Amino acid sequence: MGYELRVERQAPLSFAELANVLGRAGFEFRGSPESGEVLARHGDGVHAVAVWNGALSGAPGSDWHVAQLARVSGLLGARLVGEDGESYAIRDGVVEQTGDQAAYEFGRLEEILAAGPATWRA
């Protein structure tokens, strides 16, 4: 597993709330209330975005995955946090990462989503 991002918020997240938000936002869910995957469509494909096991997390492989995770966390009123404590969010239509003293912009949300889940190159 690669670098993990997790969705965090003050109030516990219930499966019913997760399912409601995902359905309204066009995401899909495959699994059970105890565990499963959050999926997003791009073109003719369906791609895993996050894992649900009572908490929500994901291991993004592209800017598209980061953007989808940021969308889900925003819709849930949560923060998207990386292993090193940095935060990811969508602000003014731009997907960004902020850390202790630096900020990085991935790009405009609509452009990232249109580009799809092309895997990062090392």
Side-chain angles (χ1 to χ4, degrees):
M1 183 154 152
Y3 194 80
E4 185 176 270
L5 302 179
R6 64 192 178 283
V7 175
E8 293 182 346
R9 65 182 213 168
Q10 290 184 333
L13 178 61
S14 71
F15 177 76
E17 183 179 4
L18 175 67
N20 181 19
V21 167
L22 293 178
R24 287 184 294 137
F27 289 93
E28 299 175 28
F29 184 82
R30 186 177 301 148
S32 70
E34 291 77 33
S35 67
E37 289 183 310
V38 174
L39 308 165
R41 290 193 170 276
H42 185 267
D44 292 334
V46 179
H47 305 272
V49 172
V51 174
W52 167 257
N53 57 8
L56 199 57
S57 63
S62 69
D63 290 354
W64 183 86
H65 286 99
V66 173
Q68 295 289 14
L69 284 164
R71 281 186 61 219
V72 170
S73 64
L75 292 167
L76 291 167
R79 291 179 357 119
L80 183 61
V81 180
E83 293 175 6
D84 296 328
E86 74 282 8
S87 295
Y88 299 79
I90 300 168
R91 186 183 353 222
D92 299 325
V94 175
V95 180
E96 65 181 13
Q97 170 194 353
T98 55
D100 289 334
Q101 298 176 0
Y104 170 78
E105 290 186 355
F106 286 85
R108 300 219 42 88
L109 176 64
E110 67 270 3
E111 293 171 4
I112 293 170
L113 295 179
T119 304
W120 287 318
R121 296 176 196 241

